Amino acid sequence: MGEEIRGHCWNCGAGLTRLDLGRESPCPGCDKPTHCCRNCRHFAPGRPNECMEPLVERVVEKLRSNFCDLFEPDPKPAAGAAAPDPDALRKAAEALFGQ
């Protein structure tokens, strides 16, 4: 039986298990770091330190692995990850509206 999905990769949207979210663990789908700010549920662009946690230590490189103790994997896939095909969306809209 497989491991439970705990989060998703910020880059490709692949499901990540507890074992995939280690400090030095790369994403099995795209080889990008998984224990990084962009993969954390607290990541908030536009906020101080780009984090919702007010007392977090500043991390400059948001795409690199870090030692943040407040890291929690974001359970929902990243907005840009695994984006749907624009042609498929257009065909679905045309089928829906009969054009």
Side-chain angles (χ1 to χ4, degrees):
M1 185 149 219
E3 283 272 328
E4 176 186 348
I5 299 296
R6 304 270 176 146
H8 294 86
C9 176
W10 60 269
N11 184 57
C12 72
L16 302 172
T17 66
R18 180 182 55 81
L19 297 174
D20 296 325
L21 292 163
R23 157 114 168 77
E24 295 293 327
S25 300
C27 172
C30 66
D31 211 35
K32 299 286 185 185
T34 58
H35 193 288
C36 65
C37 292
R38 286 289 310 266
N39 234 21
C40 183
R41 74 178 200 89
H42 301 297
F43 181 66
R47 304 253 342 225
N49 294 329
E50 294 185 302
C51 186
M52 292 190 306
E53 291 292 330
L55 302 176
V56 71
E57 273 190 53
R58 183 170 184 250
V59 175
V60 177
E61 294 290 330
K62 305 298 184 194
L63 302 179
R64 289 194 169 174
S65 292
N66 60 56
F67 290 101
C68 183
D69 291 331
L70 300 176
F71 175 82
E72 290 182 33
D74 193 351
K76 57 191 177 314
D85 178 32
D87 291 330
L89 291 175
R90 187 182 317 93
K91 287 178 185 176
E94 287 172 357
L96 181 64
F97 297 110
Q99 294 182 3

